């Protein structure tokens, strides 16, 4: 049987379309097109085309500072919504910031500093209307753990602060660089399942860390794993717990959880859980002050430094050993902060049906943190709880961040001394109630139902965080995410196709049990590009399909396989290793007296096959536009021989 020409029966068949070659592109144009799709898929310069220089300058400024664009259409109605939203998130952020600063082993005022300068910078450069900027629990905990591994915050406070500012500076540099070089797609390598597990594990770890303040324990472990924390808790049970502290913490934690419950049940009462933390701080502080509970072992915040952010530029390490440590810590914290902010921004943009530019967001967040590092702030990002309140409160633009920032500034200037008698138990309760929402068990259940490998990534990150450390949990999350990518690349799915009755459609016989196999033919679909990483597997898997099918045919005394059709619609690309694998597959089939046929190779694939002269090897007429064409052409031959 000659592979070059189909049987004479095709003279009586309907015309069969041939696979055509696309016009050959020059190497330069092909390279630039690929580069553009990789880094400039959104075509950010399209608005600059055919514009005068003055117009281009204005468009450039608006691209860098979106506030110049949306402020042109700003009005009193929008300001009312932003004012209410800004005041609401300010009431939530002030007590949270004081608590989150403690997670990072910093004085409470540094948490407030980080909700003053960064939101102002973001409001000018960010493109999200809903995201609320400030310190967040996960990043605060991660930063605190990584920093204390290098410098003891108790014995060397000054150097710890310098390293914190250095890490914040490099976190901003990392974020801005990723955005400027348009490498935002890199953070997508951390899968949703891994993020769910990491956030859930971090929430458990953060809640466990709050047992120190919640129970009034003075000596507490610096480790974050659940075994060390619980050992420290039980070890101090007989002499370290303070019942007054536990009473205060329990009462107000119940109040905060009840407020959250009300907010969930009645959407119009969203402001109840938003102002509950501030009410708790005011009431508990007043109670401790009038009863002097601090004299009976109730630990309090003590003095919070008054005044707005002092300059910290001279405290940043730009060279030396601590600069390298700061870069390593900052890069990790910056990426996690970026992941959280990007997820939040995309979520609310989708809910309000507007677009945000991920790379611009990264630049905005990066510049924000660089500016923050020079004004006594630590890493800030988008907060999901505050952003949700911001959205529910009816914010229209980033002016809500400006309002929040102004309120925080007034707090720093005027009322920080009033927080002196705030009990630590209240801050612990506020943090516990805030991080409970990060444990998304419903998402974990859904992940289990959809993809078991994703569930392994989720649980790996979760247990890595709570049983070892936040860094190890993060490493597991990234490792499992990459392992999944490698698994899918090296072991692509393949399927046997059959004909759906009374149609020319061919589908997976496992998915469609009524699909019938064509006698004398085996139709296999490869659901992936064929690269060096999977080419041998694809060849061996196809041959295994063939061997299994032949064994069944022999057992049932049915005609042998004469044609192997490879459906290549899902094969988006192929490299030299992939072409060599097809050549080896062809030779193996020749020894078995089976003809190789290809169906519907795409533009890139057919061009590369022709460049390698593969069609000359199997026969130009053995490459078809559809599986139906291949079957229609060669099926009469199999019937004849049968």
């Amino acid at each position: 049987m000659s592979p070059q020409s189909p049987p004479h029966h095709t003279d009586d068949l309907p015309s069969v379309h041939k696979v055509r070659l696309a016009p050959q592109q020059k190497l330069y144009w092909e390279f630039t097109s690929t580069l553009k799709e990789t880094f400039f898929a959104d075509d950010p310069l399209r608005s600059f085309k055919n514009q005068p220089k003055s117009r281009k300058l204005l468009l450039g400024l608006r691209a860098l500072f979106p506030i110049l664009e949306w402020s042109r259409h700003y009005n009193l109605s929008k300001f009312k919504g932003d004012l209410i939203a800004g005041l609401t998130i300010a009431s939530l952020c002030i007590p949270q910031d004081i608590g989150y600063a403690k997670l990072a082993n910093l004085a409470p005022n540094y948490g407030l500093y980080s909700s003053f300068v960064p939101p102002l910078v973001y409001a000018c450069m960010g493109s999200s209307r809903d995201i609320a900027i400030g310190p967040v629990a996960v990043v605060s905990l991660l930063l605190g753990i990584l920093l204390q591994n290098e410098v003891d915050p108790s014995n060397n406070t000054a150097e710890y602060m310098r390293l914190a500012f250095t890490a914040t500076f490099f976190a901003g540099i990392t974020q801005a660089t990723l955005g400027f070089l348009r490498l935002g797609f890199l953070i997508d390598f951390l899968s949703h399942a891994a993020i769910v597990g990491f956030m859930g594990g971090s929430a458990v770890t953060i809640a466990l860390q709050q047992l120190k303040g919640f129970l009034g324990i003075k000596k507490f472990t610096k480790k974050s794993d659940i075994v060390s924390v619980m050992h420290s808790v039980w070890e101090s049970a007989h002499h370290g717990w303070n019942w007054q502290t536990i009473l205060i913490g329990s009462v107000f934690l119940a109040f905060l959880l009840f407020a959250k419950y009300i907010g969930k049940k009645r959407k119009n009462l969203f402001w109840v859980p938003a102002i509950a933390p501030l009410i708790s701080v005011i009431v508990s502080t007043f109670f401790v002050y009038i009863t002097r509970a601090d004299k009976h072992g109730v630990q309090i915040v003590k003095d919070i430094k008054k005044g707005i952010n002092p300059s910290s530029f001279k405290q940043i390490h730009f060279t030396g050993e601590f600069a390298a440590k700061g870069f390593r810590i900052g890069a990790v914290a910056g990426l996690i902060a970026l992941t959280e902010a990007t997820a939040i921004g995309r979520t609310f943009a989708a809910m309000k049906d507007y677009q945000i530019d991920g790379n611009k967001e990264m630049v905005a967040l990066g510049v924000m943190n660089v500016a923050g590092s020079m004004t006594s702030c630590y890493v800030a990002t988008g907060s999901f709880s505050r952003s949700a309140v911001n959205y529910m409160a009816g914010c229209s633009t980033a002016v809500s961040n400006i309002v929040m920032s102004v309120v925080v500034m007034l707090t720093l200037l005027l009322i920080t001394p009033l927080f002196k008698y705030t009990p630590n138990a209240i801050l612990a309760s506020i943090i516990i109630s805030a991080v409970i929402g990060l444990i998304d068990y419903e998402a974990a259940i859904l992940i289990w139902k959809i993809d078991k490998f994703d569930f392994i990534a989720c649980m790996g990150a979760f247990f890595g965080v709570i049983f070892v450390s936040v860094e190890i949990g993060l490493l597991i999350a990234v490792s499992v995410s990459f392992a999944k990518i490698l698994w899918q690349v090296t072991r692509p799915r393949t399927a046997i196709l059959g004909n759906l009755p009374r149609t020319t459609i061919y589908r997976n016989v496992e998915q469609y049990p009524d699909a019938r196999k064509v006698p004398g033919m085996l139709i296999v679909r490869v659901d992936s590009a064929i690269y060096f990483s999977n080419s041998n597997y694809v060849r061996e898997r196809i041959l295994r399909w063939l061997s299994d099918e032949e064994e069944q045919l022999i057992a049932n005394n049915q005609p042998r396989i004469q044609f192997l059709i490879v459906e290549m619609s899902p094969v988006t690309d192929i490299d030299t290793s992939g072409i060599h694998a097809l050549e080896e597959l062809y030779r193996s089939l020749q020894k078995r007296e089976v003809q190789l046929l290809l169906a519907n190779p795409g533009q890139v694939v057919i061009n590369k096959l022709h460049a390698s002269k593969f069609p000359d090897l199997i026969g130009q007429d053995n490459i078809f536009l559809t599986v139906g064409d291949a079957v229609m052409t060669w099926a009469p031959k199999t019937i004849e021989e049968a």
Side-chain angles (χ1 to χ4, degrees):
M1 178 180 65
S2 170
Q4 270 70 30
S5 58
H8 66 277
H9 297 78
T10 53
D11 295 338
D12 303 323
L13 295 173
S15 61
V16 175
H17 293 281
K18 297 296 182 183
V19 176
R20 295 183 180 179
L21 280 172
Q24 190 70 33
Q25 281 189 327
K26 291 183 179 180
L27 179 62
Y28 171 76
W29 292 111
E30 187 176 350
F31 175 76
T32 53
S33 176
T34 303
L35 194 67
K36 182 181 176 182
E37 276 304 304
T38 302
F39 297 102
F40 303 96
D42 55 344
D43 194 11
L45 301 178
R46 63 185 180 276
S47 60
F48 290 80
K49 294 176 182 176
N50 305 319
Q51 298 288 343
K53 288 185 178 180
S54 58
R55 178 67 177 170
K56 287 181 179 179
L57 177 62
L58 181 60
L59 290 173
L61 288 173
R62 287 178 182 173
L64 187 59
F65 301 101
I67 191 172
L68 297 176
E69 175 65 30
W70 55 257
S71 61
R72 296 186 303 153
H73 311 289
Y74 201 69
N75 53 43
L76 184 61
S77 175
K78 291 181 179 179
F79 178 70
K80 288 179 181 177
D82 288 335
L83 179 63
I84 294 171
L87 293 173
T88 307
I89 58 176
S91 68
L92 177 62
C93 87
I94 291 169
Q96 282 187 347
D97 289 346
I98 296 171
Y100 291 160
K102 287 184 172 292
L103 280 178
N105 301 313
L106 299 170
N109 50 296
Y110 291 101
L112 295 171
Y113 292 161
S114 301
S115 280
F116 172 41
V117 172
L120 291 176
V121 177
Y122 181 84
C124 297
M125 300 186 68
S127 56
S128 173
R129 305 171 193 168
D130 302 278
I131 197 168
I133 297 297
V136 296
V138 174
V139 177
S140 299
L141 176 68
L142 178 63
L143 196 65
I145 290 173
L146 294 177
L147 289 173
Q148 75 178 9
N149 288 341
E150 303 295 339
V151 178
D152 189 334
S154 302
N155 299 328
N156 198 349
T157 305
E159 194 56 58
Y160 183 89
M161 289 302 311
R162 293 194 66 185
L163 188 58
F165 298 143
T166 304
T168 302
F169 174 80
F170 284 112
I173 292 294
T174 301
Q175 293 170 334
T177 302
L178 286 175
F180 183 76
L181 298 178
R182 304 190 68 79
L183 299 175
F185 61 87
L186 293 178
I187 64 172
D188 292 333
F189 281 98
L190 195 60
S191 69
H192 171 70
I195 293 173
V196 169
F198 176 74
M199 289 295 186
S202 298
V204 172
T205 300
I206 291 166
L208 290 173
Q209 290 284 315
Q210 300 316 301
L211 292 177
K212 176 185 178 182
F214 193 84
L215 301 175
I217 301 171
K218 293 182 179 179
K219 292 184 179 180
F220 201 70
T221 180
K222 292 183 179 180
K223 295 180 180 180
S224 62
D225 64 282
I226 189 171
V227 176
S228 299
V229 170
M230 295 312 297
H231 181 266
S232 183
V233 169
W234 293 121
E235 198 175 48
S236 59
H238 298 295
H239 56 83
W241 294 12
N242 181 271
W243 72 266
Q244 294 97 328
T245 300
I246 296 172
L247 179 63
I248 293 171
S250 301
V251 169
F252 284 99
L253 178 59
F255 168 68
L256 291 167
L257 294 176
F258 180 66
K260 289 188 75 170
Y261 174 77
I262 291 175
K264 282 185 178 181
K265 296 294 283 186
R266 299 282 298 274
K267 297 297 182 183
N268 61 325
L269 296 178
F270 66 89
W271 52 270
V272 173
I275 67 168
L278 188 60
I279 292 173
S280 300
V281 168
I282 294 171
V283 174
S284 63
T285 301
F286 180 71
F287 175 78
V288 170
Y289 176 72
I290 61 172
T291 62
R292 297 315 306 254
D294 55 307
K295 301 293 185 181
H296 301 282
V298 175
Q299 297 176 38
I300 57 175
V301 172
K302 297 181 181 177
D303 293 322
I304 299 180
K305 190 175 179 181
K306 193 176 180 181
I308 59 173
N309 307 35
S311 173
S312 56
F313 177 78
K314 293 182 179 179
Q315 297 185 54
I316 299 173
H317 292 284
F318 294 104
T319 58
E321 178 188 357
F322 280 100
K325 291 177 179 178
F327 175 77
R328 179 177 58 81
I329 296 169
V332 174
L335 287 174
I336 294 300
L338 205 55
T339 303
E340 187 168 355
T342 303
I344 293 167
R346 287 175 179 171
T347 299
F348 289 105
M351 292 170 69
K352 283 192 174 179
D353 193 25
Y354 66 90
Q355 297 293 322
I356 62 170
D357 187 324
N359 291 293
K360 285 182 184 177
E361 283 293 286
M362 292 178 192
V363 172
L365 291 165
V367 173
M368 172 188 85
N369 278 313
V370 169
S373 70
M374 298 178 182
T375 51
S376 300
C377 304
Y378 73 97
V379 181
T381 187
S383 164
F384 191 85
S385 60
R386 272 174 264 176
S387 298
V389 170
N390 198 28
Y391 170 80
M392 295 293 291
C395 69
S396 298
T397 67
V399 169
S400 59
N401 273 292
I402 298 176
V403 173
M404 178 192 72
S405 181
V406 170
V407 174
V408 171
M409 178 193 71
L410 294 174
T411 301
L412 284 165
L413 288 173
L414 303 174
I415 63 174
T416 48
L418 299 180
F419 291 109
K420 178 178 180 180
Y421 290 98
T422 300
N424 288 339
I426 283 299
L427 302 179
S429 299
I430 290 170
I431 293 174
I432 291 171
S433 66
V435 299
I436 284 175
L438 296 177
I439 305 174
D440 196 346
Y441 65 91
E442 291 180 351
I445 293 171
L446 184 61
I447 289 168
W448 166 258
K449 292 178 180 177
I450 294 174
D451 192 320
K452 301 302 185 287
F453 202 106
D454 263 357
F455 186 75
I456 293 173
C458 180
M459 289 298 100
F462 179 80
F463 289 116
V465 170
I466 65 173
F467 281 106
V468 188
S469 66
V470 176
E471 313 100 286
I472 296 300
L474 180 60
L475 181 62
I476 292 173
V478 174
S479 300
V480 176
S481 296
F482 272 102
K484 182 182 179 183
I485 294 171
L486 291 173
W487 175 263
Q488 291 177 335
V489 169
T490 58
R491 294 294 182 267
R493 296 182 184 275
T494 57
I496 292 180
L497 306 185
N499 176 241
L500 294 177
R502 298 179 298 281
T503 71
T504 57
I505 299 172
Y506 293 81
R507 291 292 183 266
N508 187 344
V509 294
E510 290 186 3
Q511 184 179 0
Y512 299 90
D514 57 332
R516 297 173 182 174
K517 296 177 183 177
V518 180
M521 292 185 167
L522 177 65
I523 308 169
V524 178
R525 187 184 67 212
V526 180
D527 293 336
S528 167
I530 304 176
Y531 292 132
F532 66 93
S533 57
N534 62 23
S535 56
N536 285 330
Y537 171 79
V538 169
R539 176 179 59 81
E540 292 169 1
R541 189 69 188 92
I542 291 174
L543 289 174
R544 270 193 291 141
W545 280 125
L546 181 62
S547 298
D548 293 343
E549 194 70 14
E550 285 178 335
E551 287 177 6
Q552 292 180 18
L553 293 174
I554 292 172
N556 297 325
N557 293 318
Q558 293 180 339
R560 70 180 186 85
I561 299 294
Q562 298 180 57
F563 297 94
L564 174 70
I565 304 175
V566 180
E567 157 68 299
M568 301 189 74
S569 299
V571 181
T572 55
D573 201 355
I574 192 168
D575 65 2
T576 52
S577 297
I579 293 172
H580 284 310
L582 288 181
E583 291 171 349
E584 291 172 10
L585 174 65
Y586 171 75
R587 296 188 186 98
S588 298
L589 294 175
Q590 288 293 94
K591 294 176 183 177
R592 301 186 185 201
E593 297 184 349
V594 176
Q595 176 61 46
L596 175 63
L597 310 176
L598 302 183
N600 196 25
Q603 174 185 334
V604 174
V605 174
I606 193 63
N607 284 349
K608 291 185 177 181
L609 290 177
H610 272 274
S612 68
K613 301 188 183 304
F614 183 76
D616 296 338
L617 179 67
I618 68 168
Q620 296 280 353
D621 292 331
N622 290 324
I623 300 178
F624 297 88
L625 187 63
T626 66
V627 172
D629 287 350
V631 172
M632 183 172 61
T633 301
W634 286 109
K637 180 68 175 176
T638 62
I639 294 171
E640 272 185 3
E641 296 198 2

